[in-house]
Amino acid sequence: MSGSTPEGQIEPGVTADASAATSSPIPSAPHTGKLTSTGGRKASAKSARSRSREFALQALYQHLVGRNDATAIDLFTRDLAGFHKADSVHYDALLHGCIAGAEQLDALIVPLLDRKLAEISPIERAVMWMGAYEFQHCLDVPWRVVLNEYIELAKDFGGTDGYKYVNGVLGGLAPSLRPAEVAKDQGSTRAPRTAP
């Protein structure tokens, strides 16, 4: 299938960096259930929301790299094989919410970067946009689920160690975007205090 995707569409295992458009193996994922030979989740094991995140990532990549119009990207993406299995409402929220809020999302992300925004791969940038967007607008999804979903997307579609960068940035955003949830979660994982 390599080489047969339309311009701007990405494949798992292919880096998104314009300077490094070479194949890289997909790292093993710590998923239970149905796994591919490379360690990724089989398509049949993915939820509708996970699929919507993948399609939104592909669409945002087209927006960032090709500067394509959101409506044209949306129409193209909805025509892709497997889209009917995705949560189209979640996909719409991610695609249109991230494009509309791009400046605000960048403003959240930039303080946590160790390099200029222009040096971040479009895949990692789109993944961080989507994670930050979900932290802010999808409060029904627990913060750890958001973090894990986007780490996995970065593993499947990004550069070799891009997922580590995504983990650091989104892990840094979570306490400010979901303070009560993160504090409660961190408080429940602490060792119980012993009496003197």
Short mmCIF file of all heavy atoms in Angstrom, two decimals, residues 104-138:
data_model
loop_
_atom_site.label_atom_id
_atom_site.label_comp_id
_atom_site.label_asym_id
_atom_site.label_seq_id
_atom_site.Cartn_x
_atom_site.Cartn_y
_atom_site.Cartn_z
N GLN A 104 -4.98 29.09 19.67
CA GLN A 104 -5.13 28.86 21.11
C GLN A 104 -4.44 27.56 21.52
O GLN A 104 -3.79 27.50 22.56
CB GLN A 104 -6.61 28.86 21.49
CG GLN A 104 -6.88 28.76 22.96
CD GLN A 104 -7.26 27.34 23.39
OE1 GLN A 104 -7.58 26.47 22.59
NE2 GLN A 104 -7.19 27.11 24.68
N LEU A 105 -4.57 26.53 20.70
CA LEU A 105 -3.92 25.24 20.99
C LEU A 105 -2.40 25.39 20.94
O LEU A 105 -1.69 24.86 21.79
CB LEU A 105 -4.41 24.16 20.03
CG LEU A 105 -5.90 23.79 20.19
CD1 LEU A 105 -6.35 22.91 19.02
CD2 LEU A 105 -6.15 23.10 21.52
N ASP A 106 -1.90 26.11 19.92
CA ASP A 106 -0.46 26.38 19.85
C ASP A 106 0.02 27.14 21.08
O ASP A 106 1.08 26.85 21.63
CB ASP A 106 -0.11 27.17 18.59
CG ASP A 106 -0.05 26.30 17.33
OD1 ASP A 106 0.08 25.06 17.44
OD2 ASP A 106 -0.13 26.88 16.23
N ALA A 107 -0.79 28.10 21.54
CA ALA A 107 -0.41 28.89 22.71
C ALA A 107 -0.30 28.02 23.96
O ALA A 107 0.52 28.29 24.85
CB ALA A 107 -1.41 30.02 22.94
N LEU A 108 -1.11 26.97 24.05
CA LEU A 108 -1.02 26.04 25.18
C LEU A 108 0.24 25.17 25.08
O LEU A 108 0.90 24.89 26.09
CB LEU A 108 -2.24 25.11 25.22
CG LEU A 108 -3.56 25.72 25.65
CD1 LEU A 108 -4.69 24.73 25.40
CD2 LEU A 108 -3.51 26.10 27.13
N ILE A 109 0.56 24.75 23.88
CA ILE A 109 1.64 23.79 23.64
C ILE A 109 3.02 24.44 23.69
O ILE A 109 3.95 23.88 24.27
CB ILE A 109 1.41 23.09 22.28
CG1 ILE A 109 0.17 22.20 22.36
CG2 ILE A 109 2.63 22.29 21.84
CD1 ILE A 109 -0.35 21.74 21.00
N VAL A 110 3.17 25.61 23.09
CA VAL A 110 4.49 26.24 22.92
C VAL A 110 5.29 26.36 24.23
O VAL A 110 6.49 26.07 24.23
CB VAL A 110 4.36 27.60 22.20
CG1 VAL A 110 5.62 28.43 22.31
CG2 VAL A 110 4.01 27.36 20.73
N PRO A 111 4.70 26.76 25.35
CA PRO A 111 5.51 26.88 26.58
C PRO A 111 6.13 25.57 27.04
O PRO A 111 7.10 25.57 27.80
CB PRO A 111 4.51 27.40 27.62
CG PRO A 111 3.41 28.03 26.84
CD PRO A 111 3.34 27.26 25.56
N LEU A 112 5.61 24.44 26.58
CA LEU A 112 6.13 23.14 27.01
C LEU A 112 7.15 22.55 26.02
O LEU A 112 7.67 21.47 26.26
CB LEU A 112 4.97 22.16 27.20
CG LEU A 112 3.96 22.59 28.27
CD1 LEU A 112 2.75 21.68 28.26
CD2 LEU A 112 4.61 22.59 29.64
N LEU A 113 7.40 23.26 24.93
CA LEU A 113 8.32 22.77 23.91
C LEU A 113 9.76 23.15 24.25
O LEU A 113 10.01 24.18 24.86
CB LEU A 113 7.96 23.34 22.54
CG LEU A 113 6.56 23.04 22.01
CD1 LEU A 113 6.37 23.69 20.64
CD2 LEU A 113 6.31 21.55 21.93
N ASP A 114 10.69 22.31 23.80
CA ASP A 114 12.10 22.62 23.98
C ASP A 114 12.73 23.08 22.66
O ASP A 114 13.94 23.14 22.53
CB ASP A 114 12.86 21.40 24.53
CG ASP A 114 12.84 20.21 23.58
OD1 ASP A 114 12.16 20.26 22.53
OD2 ASP A 114 13.51 19.20 23.90
N ARG A 115 11.88 23.37 21.68
CA ARG A 115 12.33 23.84 20.37
C ARG A 115 11.23 24.70 19.76
O ARG A 115 10.14 24.80 20.32
CB ARG A 115 12.67 22.67 19.45
CG ARG A 115 11.49 21.74 19.21
CD ARG A 115 11.89 20.45 18.56
NE ARG A 115 12.45 19.61 19.61
CZ ARG A 115 12.47 18.30 19.58
NH1 ARG A 115 12.01 17.67 18.54
NH2 ARG A 115 12.97 17.61 20.56
N LYS A 116 11.51 25.30 18.63
CA LYS A 116 10.52 26.14 17.96
C LYS A 116 9.39 25.27 17.42
O LYS A 116 9.60 24.13 17.01
CB LYS A 116 11.18 26.90 16.81
CG LYS A 116 12.19 27.91 17.27
CD LYS A 116 12.84 28.60 16.11
CE LYS A 116 13.92 29.54 16.60
NZ LYS A 116 14.71 30.09 15.52
N LEU A 117 8.20 25.82 17.40
CA LEU A 117 7.03 25.10 16.91
C LEU A 117 7.24 24.63 15.46
O LEU A 117 6.81 23.54 15.10
CB LEU A 117 5.79 26.00 17.01
CG LEU A 117 4.45 25.35 16.72
CD1 LEU A 117 4.17 24.20 17.67
CD2 LEU A 117 3.34 26.39 16.81
N ALA A 118 7.91 25.43 14.67
CA ALA A 118 8.16 25.07 13.26
C ALA A 118 9.02 23.82 13.13
O ALA A 118 9.02 23.19 12.07
CB ALA A 118 8.83 26.24 12.54
N GLU A 119 9.75 23.45 14.18
CA GLU A 119 10.61 22.27 14.15
C GLU A 119 9.89 20.99 14.58
O GLU A 119 10.45 19.91 14.52
CB GLU A 119 11.84 22.50 15.04
CG GLU A 119 12.73 23.62 14.55
CD GLU A 119 13.86 23.94 15.52
OE1 GLU A 119 14.07 23.19 16.49
OE2 GLU A 119 14.52 24.96 15.29
N ILE A 120 8.65 21.13 15.01
CA ILE A 120 7.86 19.97 15.44
C ILE A 120 7.24 19.33 14.19
O ILE A 120 6.70 20.02 13.33
CB ILE A 120 6.75 20.40 16.43
CG1 ILE A 120 7.34 21.08 17.65
CG2 ILE A 120 5.85 19.23 16.81
CD1 ILE A 120 8.20 20.20 18.51
N SER A 121 7.30 18.02 14.12
CA SER A 121 6.70 17.31 12.98
C SER A 121 5.21 17.60 12.93
O SER A 121 4.56 17.75 13.97
CB SER A 121 6.97 15.81 13.14
OG SER A 121 5.81 15.06 13.08
N PRO A 122 4.63 17.66 11.73
CA PRO A 122 3.19 17.92 11.64
C PRO A 122 2.35 16.83 12.31
O PRO A 122 1.27 17.11 12.81
CB PRO A 122 2.90 17.98 10.14
CG PRO A 122 4.17 17.68 9.44
CD PRO A 122 5.27 17.60 10.42
N ILE A 123 2.85 15.61 12.35
CA ILE A 123 2.11 14.54 13.04
C ILE A 123 2.07 14.82 14.53
O ILE A 123 1.01 14.81 15.14
CB ILE A 123 2.76 13.16 12.79
CG1 ILE A 123 2.62 12.76 11.33
CG2 ILE A 123 2.17 12.09 13.70
CD1 ILE A 123 1.20 12.55 10.88
N GLU A 124 3.23 15.07 15.13
CA GLU A 124 3.26 15.33 16.57
C GLU A 124 2.48 16.60 16.91
O GLU A 124 1.79 16.65 17.92
CB GLU A 124 4.70 15.41 17.09
CG GLU A 124 5.33 14.06 17.33
CD GLU A 124 5.87 13.36 16.08
OE1 GLU A 124 6.10 14.03 15.05
OE2 GLU A 124 6.05 12.13 16.13
N ARG A 125 2.54 17.60 16.06
CA ARG A 125 1.79 18.84 16.31
C ARG A 125 0.29 18.55 16.29
O ARG A 125 -0.45 18.99 17.19
CB ARG A 125 2.15 19.90 15.28
CG ARG A 125 1.50 21.24 15.55
CD ARG A 125 2.00 22.27 14.56
NE ARG A 125 1.43 23.58 14.81
CZ ARG A 125 1.65 24.62 14.02
NH1 ARG A 125 2.46 24.51 12.97
NH2 ARG A 125 1.10 25.77 14.29
N ALA A 126 -0.17 17.81 15.29
CA ALA A 126 -1.59 17.49 15.20
C ALA A 126 -2.03 16.63 16.38
O ALA A 126 -3.11 16.83 16.94
CB ALA A 126 -1.89 16.79 13.88
N VAL A 127 -1.20 15.68 16.77
CA VAL A 127 -1.52 14.82 17.92
C VAL A 127 -1.63 15.67 19.19
O VAL A 127 -2.57 15.50 19.98
CB VAL A 127 -0.47 13.70 18.08
CG1 VAL A 127 -0.61 13.00 19.42
CG2 VAL A 127 -0.59 12.69 16.94
N MET A 128 -0.71 16.61 19.37
CA MET A 128 -0.77 17.47 20.57
C MET A 128 -1.98 18.39 20.52
O MET A 128 -2.62 18.63 21.55
CB MET A 128 0.54 18.25 20.72
CG MET A 128 1.70 17.36 21.11
SD MET A 128 3.25 18.23 21.45
CE MET A 128 3.82 18.64 19.81
N TRP A 129 -2.32 18.90 19.33
CA TRP A 129 -3.54 19.71 19.18
C TRP A 129 -4.74 18.91 19.64
O TRP A 129 -5.55 19.38 20.42
CB TRP A 129 -3.75 20.08 17.72
CG TRP A 129 -3.11 21.32 17.22
CD1 TRP A 129 -2.25 22.16 17.88
CD2 TRP A 129 -3.26 21.86 15.90
NE1 TRP A 129 -1.87 23.19 17.05
CE2 TRP A 129 -2.48 23.02 15.83
CE3 TRP A 129 -3.98 21.45 14.79
CZ2 TRP A 129 -2.40 23.80 14.67
CZ3 TRP A 129 -3.90 22.23 13.64
CH2 TRP A 129 -3.12 23.39 13.58
N MET A 130 -4.86 17.69 19.12
CA MET A 130 -6.03 16.87 19.42
C MET A 130 -6.09 16.51 20.90
O MET A 130 -7.17 16.53 21.50
CB MET A 130 -6.04 15.62 18.53
CG MET A 130 -6.27 15.96 17.08
SD MET A 130 -6.27 14.62 15.84
CE MET A 130 -5.97 13.16 16.70
N GLY A 131 -4.95 16.18 21.49
CA GLY A 131 -4.93 15.86 22.92
C GLY A 131 -5.34 17.05 23.76
O GLY A 131 -6.15 16.93 24.69
N ALA A 132 -4.79 18.23 23.44
CA ALA A 132 -5.15 19.44 24.18
C ALA A 132 -6.64 19.76 23.99
O ALA A 132 -7.33 20.15 24.94
CB ALA A 132 -4.28 20.61 23.73
N TYR A 133 -7.12 19.58 22.77
CA TYR A 133 -8.54 19.82 22.50
C TYR A 133 -9.42 18.89 23.33
O TYR A 133 -10.39 19.32 23.95
CB TYR A 133 -8.84 19.64 21.00
CG TYR A 133 -10.29 19.89 20.67
CD1 TYR A 133 -10.74 21.17 20.38
CD2 TYR A 133 -11.22 18.85 20.69
CE1 TYR A 133 -12.08 21.41 20.12
CE2 TYR A 133 -12.55 19.08 20.44
CZ TYR A 133 -12.98 20.36 20.15
OH TYR A 133 -14.31 20.60 19.90
N GLU A 134 -9.06 17.60 23.37
CA GLU A 134 -9.87 16.65 24.16
C GLU A 134 -9.79 16.96 25.64
O GLU A 134 -10.79 16.83 26.35
CB GLU A 134 -9.44 15.21 23.89
CG GLU A 134 -10.12 14.63 22.67
CD GLU A 134 -10.19 13.12 22.66
OE1 GLU A 134 -10.65 12.50 23.65
OE2 GLU A 134 -9.80 12.54 21.64
N PHE A 135 -8.63 17.35 26.14
CA PHE A 135 -8.53 17.74 27.55
C PHE A 135 -9.53 18.85 27.85
O PHE A 135 -10.17 18.86 28.90
CB PHE A 135 -7.13 18.23 27.90
CG PHE A 135 -6.11 17.16 28.17
CD1 PHE A 135 -4.77 17.39 27.91
CD2 PHE A 135 -6.46 15.92 28.70
CE1 PHE A 135 -3.81 16.43 28.18
CE2 PHE A 135 -5.51 14.94 28.97
CZ PHE A 135 -4.17 15.20 28.70
N GLN A 136 -9.67 19.80 26.94
CA GLN A 136 -10.54 20.96 27.18
C GLN A 136 -12.02 20.69 26.92
O GLN A 136 -12.86 21.22 27.64
CB GLN A 136 -10.11 22.13 26.28
CG GLN A 136 -8.78 22.72 26.64
CD GLN A 136 -8.45 23.89 25.73
OE1 GLN A 136 -8.46 23.76 24.52
NE2 GLN A 136 -8.19 25.04 26.33
N HIS A 137 -12.34 19.92 25.89
CA HIS A 137 -13.72 19.84 25.42
C HIS A 137 -14.40 18.48 25.56
O HIS A 137 -15.61 18.41 25.37
CB HIS A 137 -13.79 20.29 23.96
CG HIS A 137 -13.29 21.67 23.74
ND1 HIS A 137 -14.01 22.79 24.08
CD2 HIS A 137 -12.11 22.13 23.24
CE1 HIS A 137 -13.31 23.88 23.79
NE2 HIS A 137 -12.15 23.50 23.28
N CYS A 138 -13.67 17.45 25.84
CA CYS A 138 -14.25 16.10 25.93
C CYS A 138 -14.10 15.59 27.35
O CYS A 138 -13.37 14.63 27.62
CB CYS A 138 -13.58 15.17 24.92
SG CYS A 138 -13.71 15.75 23.23
#
